[in-house]
C-alpha cells in the first residue's frame, strides 16, 4: 500500500506523494486528547524484577546495558515481524522495538523506550515503520511502567549516557553499541551470566512453558484432523494449520515448523515443507507454539499418515520410543545433563542390531566407544537441549554449567531421540531406507525426577494410532 493514490513525487523510492502545507496543518491538528487508564501490573513483573535485582547484584557498581534490537528488513520497505531480544525479554518483558534496559552502578533499572507519538508533528502519519497512523499507537511510558514495574524514560534520553563505560549485550542494536565504549571480554561475561541466569526456570516461566506446550498440543490435534487436506495439497498445509494455532493462541511459532513427510524426515531441519503427504508413509512433525511472553514449546511426533504404522515403521518407532523412555528415566536432579543422551544412545545402538543395521551386541558396544561412534550415522543429534525463551535456550552458558553440568529442579529441557535412515544409505537394509523417526517431549526437572509438560500427546505407537483415530472420527 502506498500512502496515497494521487500526486506521487516522481523519483522517490517509495513514490510517496507530496504533502502541501495545508495538508500538514490539517493532519497535525484537530485530534482529541488521548486518555488512558493505567494497566494493572503483569503477573510476570515481580519475577522479572527479581532477575534484574540478581543481575545488579552480580555486577555491582557497573553500568549494564541490554538492548532488545529493532526491525529487520525483509525486502525493500517491508520488515520481519519484530521479536524482542531474548535477554531483554527475560529481564523486562516489553515488546517495543529499540527499547533498552540500563542498570546503573547503584543497581537501579531504567527502561528507555520510544514514547507515544506527538501528533503535532507529521511523523505520526509520514513514517511508515513507526508512525502510529501506519502501525497503531504505542503504549505510553506511564502505561509501560505500570504494566512492567520498571521506571521508564524516553529513548532519546539514552544519548545522555554516551561515553559511559558499560557492559553491553551486543548483536542487537548497533546504535546502542556505539554509545558505550565497552570491552569484548566484559560483554561476553555479561551474556554468559545472563544465559546461565535462564537455566533454572521460576514458577512463572514453567507456567508460561506449559501454556505454550498446551497450545502446541492443540495445534498437533488440528493437524491430525486436517491430514486429508494435507494429502490433497502438501506439507505446507500442515505448516499453515499449525501456524494458525500459533498466531491465534500465542505470539508465533518458536522456530520454523518442520513438516517432513516420507524421506524428508531424514533431513533434520526440513522447513521447505513443499513435499507430498502420502498414505503408507510417516510424517515427522517438529513444531512449537511460542507464547505471548515468548517461551516456546518444541515438540515432535512422527505419525503414520494412514493412521496405522506398517510393521517395519512400528519396529523403528518402538525402538525410538524405548530410547526416549530410557532418557526420560535419566532426567532427575543430580544426573549429568548428558546422562539422558547416553541412556538413549545405548538403547538405540543395541536396537540397531535387531533392525539389521549393526552386526551383533559386541558390534553395538564397539560402536558406542568414544573412538568409534558409528551409531551416530543414524542418530545424528543430541537428545536434549535447554528450552525457554529461545528454543535452544541458554546457548551462551559455559560448558560446565550446561553440557557438562548437573540437572537441577527447574531446568526445562527437551528429550528427543531419533533414528534416520537416509533414502540412499547403502549400509542399511533396503526397507529401512527413507524412514526417519523422532519423538520429542519437553520436561521440567522436579525434586525427584521430571514432569513431562507435553504428556497430553501420546508417545507410544499404539497410543498414537488410537489418538489419531479418535481425532479423525470426531
Ligand atoms: N526444533 C529444533 C529442535 O528440536 O532442536
Ligand atoms: Mn524440535
Ligand atoms: Mn528440540
Amino acid at each position: 500500500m502506498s500512502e496515497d493514490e494521487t500526486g506521487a513525487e516522481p523519483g522517490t523510492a517509495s513514490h510517496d506523494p507530496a504533502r502541501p502545507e495545508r495538508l500538514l496543518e490539517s493532519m497535525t491538528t484537530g485530534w482529541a486528547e488521548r486518555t488512558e487508564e493505567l494497566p494493572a501490573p503483569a503477573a510476570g513483573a515481580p519475577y522479572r524484577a527479581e532477575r534484574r535485582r540478581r543481575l545488579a547484584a552480580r555486577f555491582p557498581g557497573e553500568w549494564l546495558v541490554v538492548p532488545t534490537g529493532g526491525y529487520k528488513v525483509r525486502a525493500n520497505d517491508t520488515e520481519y515481524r519484530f521479536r524482542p531480544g531474548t535477554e531483554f525479554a527475560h529481564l523486562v518483558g516489553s515488546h517495543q522495538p529499540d527499547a533498552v534496559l540500563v542498570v546503573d552502578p547503584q543497581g537501579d533499572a531504567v527502561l528507555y523506550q520510544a514514547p507515544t507519538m506527538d501528533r503535532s508533528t507529521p511523523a505520526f502519519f509520514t513514517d511508515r515503520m513507526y508512525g502510529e497512523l501506519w502501525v497503531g499507537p504505542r503504549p505510553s511510558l506511564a502505561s509501560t511502567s505500570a504494566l512492567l514495574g520498571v521506571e521508564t524514560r524516553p529513548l532519546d534520553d539514552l544519548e545522555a549516557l554516551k561515553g559511559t563505560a558499560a557492559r553491553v549485550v551486543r548483536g542487537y542494536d548497533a546504535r546502542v553499541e556505539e554509545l558505550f565504549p565497552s570491552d569484548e571480554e566484559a560483554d561476553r561475561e555479561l551474556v554468559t551470566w545472563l544465559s546461565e541466569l535462564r537455566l533454572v526456570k521460576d514458577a512463572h516461566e514453567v507456567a508460561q512453558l506449559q501454556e505454550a506446550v498446551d497450545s502446541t498440543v492443540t495445534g498437533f490435534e488440528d493437524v491430525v484432523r486436517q491430514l486429508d487436506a494435507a494429502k490433497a495439497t502438501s506439507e505446507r498445509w500442515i505448516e499453515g494449520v499449525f501456524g494458525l494455532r500459533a498466531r491465534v493462541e500465542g505470539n508465533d511459532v518458536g522456530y520454523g515448523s518442520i513438516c517432513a513427510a516420507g524421506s524428508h524426515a531424514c533431513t533434520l531441519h526440513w522447513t521447505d515443507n513443499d513435499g507430498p503427504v502420502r498414505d503408507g508413509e510417516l510424517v515427522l512433525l517438529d513444531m512449537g507454539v511460542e507464547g505471548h511472553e515468548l517461551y516456546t514449546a518444541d515438540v515432535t511426533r512422527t505419525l503414520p499418515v494412514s493412521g496405522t504404522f506398517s510393521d517395519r515403521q512400528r519396529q523403528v518407532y518402538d525402538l525410538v520410543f524405548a530410547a526416549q523412555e530410557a532418557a526420560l528415566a535419566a532426567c532427575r536432579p543430580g544426573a549429568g545433563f548428558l546422562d539422558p543422551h547416553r541412556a538413549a544412545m545405548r538403547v538405540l545402538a543395541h536396537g540397531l542390531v535387531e533392525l539389521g543395521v549393526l552386526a551383533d551386541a559386541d558390534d553395538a558396544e564397539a560402536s558406542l566407544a568414544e573412538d568409534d561412534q558409528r551409531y551416530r550415522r543414524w542418530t545424528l543429534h543430541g537428545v536434549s537441549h535447554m528450552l525457554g525463551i529461545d528454543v535452544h535456550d541458554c546457548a551462551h552458558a559455559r560448558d560446565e554449567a550446561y553440557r557438562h553440568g548437573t540437572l537441577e529442579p527447574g531446568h526445562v529441557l527437551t528429550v528427543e531421540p531419533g533414528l534416520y535412515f537416509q533414502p540412499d544409505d547403502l549400509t542399511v537394509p533396503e526397507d529401512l531406507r527413507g524412514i526417519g523417526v523422532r519423538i520429542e517431549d519437553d520436561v521440567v526437572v522436579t525434586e525427584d525426577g521430571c514432569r513431562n509438560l507435553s504428556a497430553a500427546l501420546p508417545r507410544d505407537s499404539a497410543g498414537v494410532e488410537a489418538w489419531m483415530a479418535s481425532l479423525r472420527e470426531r
Side-chain angles (χ1 to χ4, degrees), residues 360-416:
D360 52 30
D362 288 343
D363 193 24
E365 276 303 312
S367 90
L368 284 163
E370 205 58 37
D371 61 353
D372 184 315
Q373 303 194 27
R374 274 168 296 135
Y375 70 94
R376 288 176 55 187
R377 179 179 174 110
W378 306 287
T379 63
L380 295 185
H381 56 79
V383 156
S384 297
H385 56 79
M386 295 297 179
L387 184 70
I389 297 179
D390 282 342
V391 62
H392 296 155
D393 206 33
C394 313
H396 300 290
R398 292 162 305 149
D399 263 0
E400 59 263 42
Y402 185 164
R403 197 175 147 69
H404 299 305
T406 302
L407 292 178
E408 282 178 48
H411 281 170
V412 175
L413 58 150
T414 64
V415 181
E416 49 172 315

Coordinates of all heavy atoms in Angstrom, one line a residue, residues 360-416:
D360 N 25.9 -57.3 15.8 CA 25.5 -58.0 17.0 C 25.8 -57.1 18.2 O 26.3 -56.0 18.0 CB 26.3 -59.4 17.1 CG 27.8 -59.2 17.0 OD1 28.3 -58.1 17.3 OD2 28.5 -60.1 16.5
A361 N 25.6 -57.7 19.4 CA 25.7 -56.9 20.6 C 27.1 -56.3 20.8 O 27.3 -55.2 21.2 CB 25.3 -57.7 21.8
D362 N 28.1 -57.1 20.4 CA 29.5 -56.7 20.5 C 29.7 -55.5 19.6 O 30.4 -54.5 19.9 CB 30.5 -57.8 20.1 CG 30.5 -58.9 21.3 OD1 30.0 -58.6 22.4 OD2 30.9 -60.0 21.0
D363 N 29.2 -55.6 18.4 CA 29.3 -54.5 17.4 C 28.7 -53.3 17.9 O 29.2 -52.2 17.8 CB 28.7 -55.0 16.1 CG 29.0 -54.1 14.9 OD1 30.1 -53.4 15.0 OD2 28.3 -54.0 14.0
A364 N 27.5 -53.4 18.6 CA 26.8 -52.3 19.1 C 27.6 -51.6 20.2 O 27.8 -50.4 20.2 CB 25.4 -52.7 19.7
E365 N 28.2 -52.4 21.1 CA 29.1 -51.9 22.2 C 30.3 -51.2 21.6 O 30.7 -50.1 22.0 CB 29.5 -53.0 23.1 CG 28.5 -53.4 24.2 CD 28.1 -52.2 25.1 OE1 29.0 -51.5 25.6 OE2 26.9 -52.0 25.3
A366 N 30.9 -51.9 20.6 CA 32.1 -51.3 19.9 C 31.7 -49.9 19.3 O 32.5 -48.9 19.4 CB 32.6 -52.2 18.8
S367 N 30.5 -49.8 18.7 CA 30.1 -48.6 18.1 C 29.9 -47.5 19.1 O 30.0 -46.3 18.8 CB 28.9 -48.8 17.2 OG 27.7 -48.6 18.0
L368 N 29.6 -47.8 20.3 CA 29.3 -46.8 21.4 C 30.6 -46.3 21.9 O 30.6 -45.2 22.6 CB 28.5 -47.4 22.5 CG 27.0 -47.6 22.3 CD1 26.4 -48.6 23.3 CD2 26.3 -46.3 22.3
A369 N 31.8 -46.9 21.6 CA 33.0 -46.5 22.2 C 33.4 -45.1 21.7 O 33.0 -44.7 20.6 CB 34.2 -47.4 21.8
E370 N 34.0 -44.3 22.6 CA 34.4 -42.9 22.3 C 35.1 -42.7 21.0 O 34.9 -41.8 20.2 CB 35.3 -42.4 23.5 CG 35.3 -40.9 23.7 CD 33.9 -40.3 24.0 OE1 33.1 -41.0 24.7 OE2 33.7 -39.2 23.6
D371 N 36.0 -43.7 20.7 CA 36.8 -43.6 19.4 C 36.2 -44.3 18.2 O 36.8 -44.5 17.3 CB 38.2 -44.1 19.7 CG 38.2 -45.6 20.1 OD1 37.1 -46.1 20.2 OD2 39.3 -46.2 20.1
D372 N 34.9 -44.6 18.3 CA 34.2 -45.3 17.2 C 33.0 -44.4 16.8 O 33.0 -43.7 15.8 CB 33.8 -46.7 17.7 CG 33.2 -47.5 16.6 OD1 32.3 -47.0 15.8 OD2 33.6 -48.7 16.4
Q373 N 31.9 -44.6 17.5 CA 30.7 -43.8 17.4 C 30.0 -43.9 16.0 O 29.3 -43.0 15.5 CB 31.0 -42.3 17.7 CG 31.6 -42.1 19.0 CD 31.6 -40.6 19.5 OE1 30.8 -39.8 19.0 NE2 32.5 -40.3 20.3
R374 N 30.1 -45.1 15.4 CA 29.4 -45.3 14.1 C 27.9 -45.2 14.3 O 27.2 -44.8 13.3 CB 29.7 -46.7 13.6 CG 31.0 -46.8 12.8 CD 31.4 -48.3 12.5 NE 31.7 -49.0 13.8 CZ 31.2 -50.2 14.1 NH1 30.4 -50.8 13.3 NH2 31.5 -50.7 15.3
Y375 N 27.4 -45.5 15.4 CA 25.9 -45.4 15.6 C 25.4 -44.0 15.2 O 24.2 -43.9 14.8 CB 25.5 -45.8 17.0 CG 25.9 -44.7 18.1 CD1 25.0 -43.7 18.4 CD2 27.2 -44.7 18.6 CE1 25.4 -42.8 19.4 CE2 27.6 -43.8 19.5 CZ 26.7 -42.8 19.9 OH 27.1 -41.8 20.7
R376 N 26.2 -43.0 15.3 CA 25.8 -41.6 15.1 C 25.4 -41.4 13.7 O 24.7 -40.4 13.4 CB 26.9 -40.7 15.6 CG 27.0 -40.6 17.1 CD 28.1 -39.7 17.5 NE 28.0 -38.3 17.0 CZ 28.9 -37.4 17.2 NH1 30.0 -37.7 17.9 NH2 28.8 -36.2 16.6
R377 N 25.8 -42.3 12.8 CA 25.4 -42.1 11.4 C 23.9 -42.1 11.3 O 23.3 -41.6 10.4 CB 26.0 -43.3 10.6 CG 25.6 -43.3 9.1 CD 26.2 -44.5 8.4 NE 25.7 -44.6 7.0 CZ 26.5 -44.4 5.9 NH1 27.8 -44.0 6.1 NH2 26.0 -44.6 4.7
W378 N 23.2 -42.8 12.3 CA 21.7 -42.9 12.2 C 21.0 -42.2 13.3 O 19.8 -42.1 13.3 CB 21.3 -44.4 12.2 CG 22.1 -45.2 11.1 CD1 21.8 -45.1 9.8 CD2 23.2 -46.0 11.3 NE1 22.7 -45.8 9.1 CE2 23.6 -46.4 10.0 CE3 23.9 -46.5 12.4 CZ2 24.7 -47.3 9.8 CZ3 25.0 -47.3 12.2 CH2 25.3 -47.7 10.9
T379 N 21.7 -41.7 14.3 CA 21.1 -41.0 15.4 C 21.2 -39.5 15.3 O 20.4 -38.7 15.8 CB 21.6 -41.4 16.8 OG1 23.0 -41.1 16.9 CG2 21.5 -42.9 17.0
L380 N 22.3 -39.1 14.6 CA 22.5 -37.7 14.1 C 22.6 -36.6 15.1 O 23.4 -35.6 14.9 CB 21.5 -37.4 13.1 CG 21.5 -38.2 11.8 CD1 20.4 -37.6 10.8 CD2 22.8 -38.2 11.1
H381 N 21.9 -36.6 16.2 CA 21.9 -35.4 17.0 C 21.8 -35.7 18.5 O 21.5 -36.9 18.9 CB 20.7 -34.4 16.7 CG 19.4 -35.1 16.7 ND1 18.7 -35.3 17.9 CD2 18.6 -35.6 15.8 CE1 17.6 -35.9 17.7 NE2 17.5 -36.1 16.4
G382 N 22.1 -34.8 19.4 CA 21.9 -35.0 20.8 C 20.5 -35.1 21.2 O 19.6 -34.8 20.5
V383 N 20.2 -35.6 22.4 CA 18.9 -35.9 22.9 C 18.2 -34.7 23.6 O 17.0 -34.7 23.6 CB 18.9 -37.2 23.7 CG1 17.7 -37.3 24.7 CG2 19.0 -38.4 22.9
S384 N 19.0 -33.8 24.1 CA 18.4 -32.8 24.9 C 19.1 -31.4 24.6 O 20.3 -31.3 24.3 CB 18.6 -33.1 26.4 OG 17.9 -34.2 26.7
H385 N 18.3 -30.4 24.8 CA 18.8 -29.0 24.9 C 17.9 -28.3 25.8 O 16.7 -28.7 26.0 CB 18.9 -28.3 23.5 CG 17.6 -28.3 22.8 ND1 16.6 -27.4 23.1 CD2 17.1 -29.0 21.8 CE1 15.5 -27.6 22.2 NE2 15.8 -28.6 21.4
M386 N 18.4 -27.2 26.4 CA 17.5 -26.4 27.3 C 16.5 -25.7 26.5 O 16.7 -25.4 25.3 CB 18.4 -25.4 28.1 CG 19.4 -26.0 29.1 SD 18.5 -26.9 30.4 CE 20.0 -27.6 31.3
L387 N 15.4 -25.4 27.1 CA 14.2 -24.8 26.4 C 13.7 -23.7 27.2 O 13.7 -23.7 28.5 CB 13.1 -25.9 26.3 CG 11.9 -25.5 25.5 CD1 12.2 -25.4 24.0 CD2 10.8 -26.6 25.7
G388 N 13.4 -22.6 26.6 CA 12.9 -21.4 27.3 C 12.4 -20.4 26.3 O 11.6 -20.7 25.4
I389 N 12.9 -19.1 26.5 CA 12.5 -18.1 25.5 C 13.1 -18.4 24.2 O 12.5 -18.1 23.1 CB 13.0 -16.7 26.1 CG1 12.2 -16.4 27.4 CG2 12.7 -15.6 25.1 CD1 12.6 -15.1 28.0
D390 N 14.3 -18.9 24.2 CA 14.9 -19.4 22.9 C 14.6 -20.9 22.9 O 14.6 -21.6 23.9 CB 16.4 -19.3 22.9 CG 16.8 -17.8 22.6 OD1 16.0 -17.1 22.0 OD2 18.0 -17.5 22.9
V391 N 14.4 -21.4 21.7 CA 14.2 -22.9 21.6 C 15.5 -23.6 22.0 O 15.4 -24.6 22.7 CB 13.7 -23.3 20.2 CG1 14.7 -23.0 19.1 CG2 13.4 -24.8 20.1
H392 N 16.6 -23.2 21.6 CA 17.9 -23.7 22.1 C 18.4 -22.7 23.1 O 19.2 -21.8 22.9 CB 18.9 -23.9 21.0 CG 18.4 -24.9 20.0 ND1 18.8 -25.0 18.7 CD2 17.6 -26.0 20.1 CE1 18.3 -26.0 18.0 NE2 17.5 -26.6 18.9
D393 N 17.8 -22.8 24.3 CA 17.9 -21.8 25.3 C 19.3 -21.8 26.0 O 20.0 -22.9 25.9 CB 16.8 -21.9 26.4 CG 16.5 -20.6 27.1 OD1 16.6 -19.5 26.4 OD2 16.1 -20.6 28.3
C394 N 19.7 -20.7 26.6 CA 20.9 -20.7 27.4 C 22.1 -21.0 26.6 O 23.1 -21.6 27.1 CB 20.8 -21.6 28.6 SG 19.3 -21.6 29.5
A395 N 22.1 -20.6 25.3 CA 23.2 -21.0 24.4 C 24.6 -20.5 24.7 O 25.6 -21.1 24.3 CB 22.8 -20.6 22.9
H396 N 24.6 -19.4 25.5 CA 25.9 -18.9 25.9 C 26.4 -19.3 27.2 O 27.4 -18.8 27.7 CB 25.9 -17.3 25.8 CG 25.5 -16.8 24.4 ND1 26.4 -17.0 23.3 CD2 24.4 -16.3 23.9 CE1 25.8 -16.5 22.3 NE2 24.6 -16.1 22.6
A397 N 25.7 -20.2 27.8 CA 26.2 -20.8 29.1 C 27.5 -21.5 28.9 O 27.7 -22.1 27.9 CB 25.1 -21.7 29.7
R398 N 28.3 -21.5 30.0 CA 29.5 -22.2 29.9 C 29.3 -23.8 29.9 O 28.3 -24.2 30.5 CB 30.4 -21.9 31.1 CG 31.0 -20.5 31.1 CD 31.4 -20.1 32.5 NE 30.3 -20.3 33.5 CZ 30.5 -20.7 34.8 NH1 31.7 -20.9 35.2 NH2 29.5 -20.9 35.6
D399 N 30.2 -24.5 29.3 CA 30.0 -26.0 29.2 C 29.8 -26.6 30.6 O 29.0 -27.5 30.8 CB 31.2 -26.6 28.6 CG 31.0 -26.8 27.1 OD1 29.9 -26.5 26.6 OD2 31.9 -27.4 26.4
E400 N 30.6 -26.1 31.6 CA 30.5 -26.7 32.9 C 29.1 -26.4 33.6 O 28.8 -27.1 34.5 CB 31.6 -26.2 33.8 CG 31.8 -24.8 34.0 CD 32.8 -24.1 33.1 OE1 32.8 -24.5 31.9 OE2 33.5 -23.2 33.6
A401 N 28.4 -25.4 33.1 CA 27.1 -25.1 33.7 C 26.0 -25.8 32.9 O 24.9 -25.9 33.4 CB 26.9 -23.6 33.7
Y402 N 26.3 -26.2 31.7 CA 25.2 -26.7 30.8 C 25.6 -28.1 30.4 O 25.2 -29.1 31.0 CB 25.1 -25.7 29.6 CG 24.0 -26.0 28.6 CD1 23.6 -25.0 27.7 CD2 23.3 -27.2 28.5 CE1 22.5 -25.2 26.8 CE2 22.3 -27.4 27.6 CZ 21.9 -26.4 26.8 OH 20.9 -26.6 25.8
R403 N 26.3 -28.2 29.3 CA 26.6 -29.6 28.7 C 27.2 -30.5 29.7 O 26.9 -31.7 29.7 CB 27.4 -29.3 27.5 CG 27.5 -30.5 26.5 CD 28.3 -30.1 25.3 NE 28.9 -31.3 24.7 CZ 28.3 -32.3 24.2 NH1 27.0 -32.3 24.1 NH2 29.0 -33.3 23.7
H404 N 28.2 -30.0 30.4 CA 28.9 -30.9 31.4 C 28.4 -30.6 32.8 O 29.0 -30.9 33.8 CB 30.4 -30.7 31.3 CG 30.9 -31.1 29.9 ND1 30.6 -32.4 29.4 CD2 31.6 -30.4 29.0 CE1 31.2 -32.4 28.2 NE2 31.7 -31.3 27.9
G405 N 27.2 -30.0 32.9 CA 26.6 -29.6 34.2 C 25.7 -30.7 34.7 O 25.6 -31.8 34.1
T406 N 25.1 -30.4 35.8 CA 24.2 -31.3 36.5 C 22.8 -30.8 36.5 O 22.5 -29.6 36.6 CB 24.7 -31.4 38.0 OG1 26.0 -31.8 38.0 CG2 23.9 -32.4 38.8
L407 N 21.8 -31.7 36.2 CA 20.4 -31.3 36.2 C 19.9 -30.9 37.6 O 20.3 -31.5 38.6 CB 19.6 -32.5 35.7 CG 19.8 -32.9 34.2 CD1 18.9 -34.1 33.8 CD2 19.5 -31.7 33.3
E408 N 19.1 -29.8 37.5 CA 18.6 -29.3 38.8 C 17.1 -29.1 38.7 O 16.6 -28.8 37.5 CB 19.2 -27.9 39.0 CG 20.6 -27.8 39.5 CD 21.0 -26.3 39.7 OE1 20.3 -25.5 40.3 OE2 22.1 -26.0 39.2
P409 N 16.4 -29.1 39.8 CA 15.0 -28.7 39.7 C 14.8 -27.4 39.0 O 15.5 -26.4 39.4 CB 14.5 -28.7 41.2 CG 15.5 -29.6 41.9 CD 16.8 -29.5 41.2
G410 N 13.9 -27.3 38.1 CA 13.6 -26.0 37.4 C 14.3 -26.0 36.0 O 14.0 -25.1 35.2
H411 N 15.2 -26.9 35.7 CA 15.7 -27.0 34.4 C 14.6 -27.5 33.5 O 13.9 -28.4 33.9 CB 16.9 -28.0 34.3 CG 18.2 -27.4 34.8 ND1 19.3 -28.2 35.0 CD2 18.6 -26.2 35.1 CE1 20.3 -27.5 35.4 NE2 19.9 -26.2 35.5
V412 N 14.4 -26.9 32.3 CA 13.5 -27.4 31.3 C 14.2 -27.8 30.1 O 15.0 -26.9 29.5 CB 12.4 -26.3 31.0 CG1 11.5 -26.8 29.9 CG2 11.6 -26.0 32.3
L413 N 14.1 -29.0 29.7 CA 14.8 -29.5 28.5 C 14.0 -30.4 27.7 O 13.0 -30.9 28.1 CB 16.1 -30.2 29.0 CG 15.9 -31.4 29.9 CD1 17.1 -32.4 29.7 CD2 16.0 -31.0 31.4
T414 N 14.5 -30.6 26.4 CA 13.8 -31.5 25.5 C 14.4 -32.9 25.7 O 15.5 -33.0 26.2 CB 14.0 -31.1 24.1 OG1 15.3 -31.2 23.7 CG2 13.4 -29.7 23.8
V415 N 13.6 -33.9 25.4 CA 14.1 -35.3 25.3 C 13.7 -35.8 24.0 O 12.5 -36.0 23.8 CB 13.5 -36.1 26.5 CG1 14.1 -37.5 26.4 CG2 13.9 -35.5 27.8
E416 N 14.6 -35.9 23.1 CA 14.2 -36.1 21.7 C 15.2 -37.0 20.9 O 15.9 -36.6 19.9 CB 14.2 -34.8 21.0 CG 15.4 -33.8 21.2 CD 15.3 -32.6 20.3 OE1 15.0 -32.7 19.1 OE2 15.6 -31.5 20.8

